Amino acid sequence: MKKCSAHDIATIQGVKRSGAVNNQVIRHLLIDSRKLLTAADSLFFAIKTHSNDGHLYIEELYAKGVRLFVVSELPEINHYPDATFFLTDDVVGVLQSIAASHRQLFTFPVIAITGSNGKTIVKEWLYHLLQPVVEITRSPRSFNSQLGVPLSIWQFGSQHQMAIIEAGISKKGEMSKLFNVIHPTIGLITNLGAAHAEGFTTEEEKLQEKLILFKEVETLVYCKDHLLISKYIGKSDVLKSGKRLISWGMDPTSDIVLKKVQQFPHSTMLQIEYGRKSVEFEIPFVDRIAIENTMHCFALAVALDLDENVVDRMKTLPSLSMRLEMKEGQHHSILINDSYNADLTGVMSALEFLSEQNPGLAKTAVLSDISGISSQPEKVYAELAGFMKAKKINSLYAVGPVFEKYASYFREEKIQFTSFASTDALIAHIHPIFFKERTVLIKGARNFQFERVSQLLERKIHKTRLEVNLSIVQQNFKLHQSLLKPSTKIMAMVKAFSYGAGSYEIANLLQQNGVDYIAVAYVDEGVELRKAGIHLPIMIMNAETDGFASLVEYDLEPEVFSLEHARCLDAFLNSEGIQHFPIHLKIDSGMHRLGLDEDQVNQYLIEFKSSRFIIQSVFTHLVASGDPRNDDFTANQLNIFEKLASTIQSVVGYPINRHASNTAAIHRHPQASYEMVRLGIGLYGVSAAAGKSLPLKEAVELKTTIAQIRRVKKRESVGYGRAYLLQKDTTIATIRIGYADGFPRSLGNGRGSVLVRGQAYPTIGNVCMDMTMIDLGDNDQIQVDEDVLVFGREHSIAAIAQQAGSIPYEIMTGISARVPRIYLSE
């Protein structure tokens, strides 16, 4: 198969080549600098958007080895002596032209799906149904835009026998560009809804734009019950001429007739007639949208003459993850958070989902004005009110002027209706107690910032707090950085909630200060960082199989630590149609916890030599890098690691980062810095090495307050179990921290101490779940609500750990999530 080269790019109309003359073969089209896999064969497109400019990342990518750039403005090319720049007025257009040329290399059937809703689900279900009988490539996730479609086409390979591509538009003129890239042979339109209505003057105009995609298809599949679609296809000479039209619907004149729908509690039986055939099958869904999507899939299988192959697989159609998130709220409430969009179809689907949850709880919706309604808004809101009544959603908090205009429809349906002009007004009015023992849907368009509503209802209040000084964290980072060569990268360990300090806040600070990588323990930690706006590469150290989908969705890079783990991940990526996926390979050099030994490394290189994995780094875990007594063992670990890393490097043939140094090794074993180091607890000013340490400052302080002070007489006991009997009359202070907050029980009965007004006072009695008692002796000056320092710069976390018979890592990571984090900057 012909490969695209730099020379080919220069021949595209409107492109002018500048800089060095390269004729590299291009394997990777890059539009996001964070997703660089292999620099030598990547072509970067410097795309300008309203919020970003790809030209800002040219210097960074050049430093990483990228030499081919498509730009709309030339940089100072003498700063990039080995780079080739392709200058054009339309960077996205060049991307599409490359993909269109690649498309012409293949003659297999290409199915294109468009419509207002359901494209991704139909695509994934078609893949599920057809993959056992034909090798399919398909759009990853929701890659259906002007950028996503060409990237999907670029995945076409000689091993494929069919392609399924989504195409989405938001305004006129877009579909002709996608048509030129896709050139489908089979078309399917799902439906026509309110999504992106703002880009068109009428529904007919939007439909006409969508159907441009199918002007040269051989076969077109559609639902005859969608009257506007059916009518337009019926009168269009372009769509009728020389095409095989296949319709489905309840309409008896459809080519495929849905004769009967029989619903059960958790499934639906469909009876279908077409031609001289009659089939019946069950699907594991009960909602109307799932039935429609199923019929789209079945009709397309008929178009491919594969209907008999898919009937048995209908009962195993997978439930695909949606954008709804359920979480626990205050006062025994359940929150359903969906701030993705607020188009009519999405709102109705979310309300239906709400109605199906927690039968014993009352239902409340918090909604913003519905977007994308260009005609008959009064009718839409009236129907929405009726729908909510039918679904037994009995109260509505509405934000926006349109809801207020049509408030009467909701009140007529006996729905408790309260409207607000803005999200600020809503937040000023509501209190979490309003939603006690309710299931609450929070759904609004992004510009309404409904995540603030969700945060309010989740909020927890606690007078114990963990104060994190970000300025000191920054100083500690710079101190460690000064010990390294300028070329050595730093991976910051923000796992376990950044050692208890707060993942996002620490990651954001380090992102601003030039850290190269972030590492977290679990997928959900990485997801939260992505949602919060962290764009750095993120390594996931324990990526379990049920989190693989989130790895892909949120651009997270898993550690692969065993052959079994690699096989599971490879199988998942294959099922998703994803290639060139970044991983980090872990070597067991002596820890004997996770990782591949020498035999397993060799087996990995045999099994996965030509796999879809791109190894971003190879790393190992040092057992005792901070202990001089084990330096010989550390040296042996490094020898094992270097040998295996060299073997891997020689087989894969592209540069791989190596990292072994943790916080202690950064200054005790500088020879082990390699291409990258991992910095963890040292960020917070805690030394992980014995002997001489760095001049670090502790950045974290755990504080609480005094709840009560009392005078207790001699021979009285204090706390549970009567563990301590007073030897004299004593003043006892009860402080607002217990083992549920992360204050260990082992610190009770005088083994631990805290500071009040700079003076240490011992604990007395057993540590309780939420409270701890301390012995003030005869001090009668201390007052209720005074601050108490549990640990910090004046009362070292290392000292507390020693009192508890533990280590600073355990103390820091043990601070409960219910303890608020407060961030300071000097």
Side-chain angles (χ1 to χ4, degrees):
M1 183 174 60
K2 180 181 180 294
K3 300 291 185 182
C4 180
S5 69
H7 174 75
D8 297 323
I9 310 303
T11 64
I12 296 174
Q13 185 175 1
V15 172
K16 181 180 178 181
R17 179 161 59 182
S18 298
V21 177
N22 290 305
N23 198 30
Q24 296 164 243
V25 171
I26 297 165
R27 291 187 172 85
H28 300 289
L29 304 182
L30 184 67
I31 63 172
D32 185 337
S33 62
R34 297 167 296 179
K35 296 184 179 180
L36 177 65
L37 296 174
T38 56
D41 53 11
S42 292
L43 173 64
F44 178 67
F45 297 82
I47 297 169
K48 286 187 175 183
T49 68
H50 69 281
S51 59
N52 208 348
D53 183 357
H55 296 81
L56 298 175
Y57 304 97
I58 291 174
E59 182 178 356
E60 170 191 333
L61 289 169
Y62 183 83
K64 292 179 178 179
V66 177
R67 292 296 179 264
L68 300 178
F69 301 89
V70 180
V71 299
S72 58
E73 55 189 44
L74 279 177
E76 292 290 333
I77 58 176
N78 58 319
H79 294 168
Y80 310 98
D82 302 324
T84 302
F85 294 94
F86 302 98
L87 182 64
T88 176
D89 292 333
D90 186 2
V91 173
V92 175
V94 173
L95 171 64
Q96 293 172 343
S97 294
I98 294 170
S101 296
H102 186 69
R103 163 69 180 91
Q104 298 308 311
L105 301 177
F106 303 92
T107 58
F108 51 64
V110 176
I111 300 166
I113 305 171
T114 193
S116 295
N117 300 99
K119 296 183 292 293
T120 301
I121 290 178
V122 170
K123 177 201 69 184
E124 294 299 323
W125 282 3
L126 280 172
Y127 179 83
H128 170 81
L129 295 168
L130 301 177
Q131 178 63 18
V133 295
V134 62
E135 187 67 26
I136 297 173
T137 180
R138 70 197 190 282
S139 306
R141 300 292 167 175
S142 296
F143 274 37
N144 59 27
S145 67
Q146 299 292 307
L147 299 176
V149 167
L151 295 178
S152 300
I153 298 295
W154 188 250
Q155 289 192 152
F156 285 16
S158 57
Q159 73 274 25
H160 298 127
Q161 300 169 306
M162 182 181 292
I164 309 173
I165 304 297
E166 289 183 54
I169 56 169
S170 59
K171 60 184 179 181
K172 287 188 68 175
E174 289 186 336
M175 191 59 88
S176 61
K177 296 178 181 179
L178 297 186
F179 165 78
N180 290 332
V181 176
I182 303 170
H183 274 285
T185 56
I186 300 171
L188 187 156
I189 181 164
T190 57
N191 50 52
L192 194 68
H196 303 299
E198 61 272 17
F200 304 92
T201 56
T202 65
E203 293 290 282
E204 289 82 358
E205 184 180 71
K206 180 165 61 173
L207 177 60
Q208 184 177 9
E209 178 71 15
K210 289 181 180 293
L211 290 175
I212 289 172
L213 182 61
F214 304 136
K215 61 184 180 181
E216 291 183 7
V217 297
E218 299 165 6
T219 302
L220 177 58
V221 176
Y222 65 101
C223 175
K224 200 166 188 177
D225 296 338
H226 292 311
L227 299 182
L228 183 59
I229 294 174
S230 181
K231 180 180 177 181
Y232 187 90
I233 291 174
K235 69 180 184 180
S236 170
D237 292 335
V238 173
L239 293 176
K240 290 190 299 182
S241 177
K243 291 179 175 55
R244 180 188 178 204
L245 300 179
I246 298 179
S247 63
W248 72 266
M250 304 288 282
D251 185 330
T253 65
S254 303
D255 299 305
I256 302 169
V257 181
L258 179 56
K259 294 288 289 184
K260 185 178 180 181
V261 177
Q262 185 177 4
Q263 292 189 317
F264 303 105
H266 304 291
S267 64
T268 303
M269 184 70 71
L270 304 180
Q271 187 181 96
I272 301 165
E273 291 182 359
Y274 58 107
R276 296 181 179 180
K277 296 181 181 179
S278 178
V279 297
E280 189 176 79
F281 54 79
E282 190 174 10
I283 62 172
F285 303 97
V286 296
D287 60 285
R288 176 189 58 79
I289 295 172
I291 294 170
E292 178 175 303
N293 290 334
T294 300
M295 288 302 302
H296 287 315
C297 293
F298 183 77
L300 203 136
V302 172
L304 294 168
D305 295 321
L306 294 173
D307 45 301
E308 294 182 2
N309 298 81
V310 305
V311 168
D312 288 340
R313 292 181 61 77
M314 287 291 184
K315 61 187 176 186
T316 62
L317 287 172
S319 177
L320 301 179
S321 60
M322 306 307 288
R323 298 182 178 100
L324 295 170
E325 294 179 342
M326 292 185 64
K327 55 187 72 174
E328 186 177 350
Q330 297 183 52
H331 304 292
H332 307 289
S333 64
I334 301 296
L335 306 182
I336 302 172
N337 187 20
D338 181 15
S339 300
Y340 179 74
N341 62 29
D343 65 86
L344 181 60
T345 303
V347 169
M348 301 283 266
S349 297
L351 290 170
E352 188 168 74
F353 182 84
L354 169 63
S355 71
E356 295 168 352
Q357 309 307 311
N358 307 96
L361 299 183
K363 307 293 190 296
T364 293
V366 181
L367 304 176
S368 74
D369 280 347
I370 299 171
S371 58
I373 300 175
S374 58
S375 62
Q376 298 183 303
E378 183 174 358
K379 180 181 178 183
V380 169
Y381 280 83
E383 290 177 352
L384 179 63
F387 183 81
M388 291 183 65
K389 179 183 180 181
K391 295 299 179 181
K392 299 181 180 177
I393 300 166
N394 49 28
S395 66
L396 170 63
Y397 291 80
V399 179
V402 184
F403 257 118
E404 172 59 28
K405 183 176 180 179
Y406 300 114
S408 60
Y409 291 112
F410 298 90
R411 294 184 175 121
E412 287 172 7
E413 299 290 1
K414 308 301 182 186
I415 295 170
Q416 184 179 337
F417 180 90
T418 311
S419 66
F420 303 89
S422 66
T423 304
D424 286 338
L426 168 70
I427 289 173
H429 172 80
I430 62 174
H431 187 279
I433 196 66
F434 293 2
F435 305 97
K436 181 179 180 181
E437 298 179 348
R438 284 182 167 269
T439 303
V440 184
L441 169 68
I442 303 170
K443 184 167 180 62
R446 289 177 179 176
N447 58 302
F448 282 86
Q449 298 181 324
F450 269 18
E451 63 271 14
R452 295 163 55 206
V453 180
S454 179
Q455 290 165 5
L456 171 65
L457 302 185
E458 295 172 58
R459 186 178 57 195
K460 298 177 177 65
I461 299 172
H462 196 341
K463 285 195 175 182
T464 298
R465 74 265 188 202
L466 190 74
E467 294 183 356
V468 182
N469 191 311
L470 297 177
S471 298
I472 294 177
V473 173
Q474 181 179 8
Q475 292 169 22
N476 292 333
F477 172 74
K478 295 295 185 183
L479 179 59
H480 285 93
Q481 192 177 46
S482 70
L483 302 176
L484 304 170
K485 297 177 182 178
S487 61
T488 304
K489 301 174 183 176
I490 297 179
M491 175 182 284
M493 310 302 291
V494 297
K495 62 180 182 175
F497 201 45
S498 281
Y499 295 82
S503 298
Y504 166 71
E505 290 77 12
I506 299 300
N508 188 49
L509 173 73
L510 295 173
Q511 180 170 267
Q512 295 170 11
N513 281 273
V515 78
D516 300 283
Y517 250 96
I518 292 291
V520 297
Y522 295 103
V523 172
D524 54 356
E525 294 177 285
V527 169
E528 289 305 314
L529 289 178
R530 282 284 183 257
K531 289 181 177 179
I534 299 301
H535 57 71
L536 289 166
I538 299 177
M539 182 177 82
I540 308 297
M541 304 190 75
N542 298 285
E544 298 173 350
T545 54
D546 58 2
F548 285 172
S550 293
L551 293 177
V552 175
E553 183 174 356
Y554 292 97
D555 298 321
L556 307 174
E557 303 175 8
E559 165 190 320
V560 170
F561 51 78
S562 72
L563 292 172
E564 293 80 3
H565 193 226
R567 290 164 187 150
C568 289
L569 180 59
D570 184 66
F572 169 79
L573 295 174
N574 180 56
S575 73
E576 292 285 303
I578 294 167
Q579 303 173 29
H580 311 304
F581 192 76
I583 66 165
H584 299 261
L585 203 60
K586 184 165 190 176
I587 304 301
D588 180 9
S589 61
M591 172 72 89
H592 303 321
R593 183 177 61 182
L594 294 174
L596 304 175
D597 60 25
E598 183 172 4
D599 291 340
Q600 291 165 336
V601 166
N602 292 329
Q603 181 62 32
Y604 173 91
L605 293 174
I606 293 170
E607 283 193 42
F608 300 101
K609 181 178 180 181
S610 302
S611 80
R612 61 195 72 244
F613 297 148
I614 299 292
I615 301 176
Q616 296 289 75
S617 78
V618 176
F619 70 105
T620 195
H621 209 111
L622 299 180
V623 173
S625 62
D627 188 349
R629 296 170 299 177
N630 284 294
D631 281 352
D632 288 344
F633 187 88
T634 298
N636 185 58
Q637 277 196 278
L638 294 174
N639 288 334
I640 293 170
F641 173 64
E642 289 176 5
K643 175 186 174 183
L644 294 179
S646 178
T647 299
I648 294 167
Q649 179 72 79
S650 67
V651 172
V652 300
Y654 52 80
I656 298 175
N657 291 315
R658 298 169 298 166
H659 48 108
S661 289
N662 50 16
T663 295
I666 288 173
H667 72 280
R668 290 207 66 252
H669 301 281
Q671 78 282 9
S673 294
Y674 304 121
E675 290 78 33
M676 187 155 64
V677 299
R678 301 189 302 274
L679 177 58
I681 202 166
L683 287 167
Y684 312 103
V686 179
S687 176
K692 185 179 179 180
S693 60
L694 295 172
L696 301 169
K697 295 181 181 179
E698 290 199 20
V700 179
E701 293 190 326
L702 179 61
K703 296 178 179 179
T704 188
T705 58
I706 295 173
Q708 187 178 42
I709 297 174
R710 70 169 73 240
R711 190 75 177 168
V712 182
K713 293 185 177 299
K714 179 181 178 179
R715 288 191 290 274
E716 291 285 338
S717 61
V718 178
Y720 284 120
R722 305 198 73 211
Y724 189 89
L725 298 177
L726 294 174
Q727 302 303 307
K728 62 174 185 175
D729 292 357
T730 302
T731 301
I732 303 297
T734 300
I735 61 176
R736 295 181 171 99
I737 191 170
Y739 58 78
D741 302 297
F743 191 71
R745 288 191 80 244
S746 57
L747 291 175
N749 295 300
R751 288 186 291 271
S753 61
V754 298
L755 265 59
V756 183
R757 297 187 182 182
Q759 182 177 338
Y761 293 96
T763 60
I764 186 169
N766 287 319
V767 174
C768 306
M769 180 181 292
D770 306 304
M771 299 285 180
T772 298
M773 286 68 71
I774 59 173
D775 185 351
L776 298 182
D778 293 323
N779 189 325
D780 59 0
Q781 300 301 307
I782 295 173
Q783 304 294 314
V784 169
D785 285 332
E786 282 201 46
D787 273 352
V788 177
L789 179 65
V790 180
F791 64 72
R793 286 182 288 282
E794 297 178 22
H795 193 45
S796 167
I797 189 172
I800 286 288
Q802 186 174 22
Q803 292 173 358
S806 183
I807 57 176
Y809 293 90
E810 184 177 15
I811 299 299
M812 279 193 66
T813 60
I815 304 304
S816 169
R818 80 179 188 179
V819 176
R821 273 64 175 171
I822 298 174
Y823 298 92
L824 310 174
S825 183
E826 297 173 358

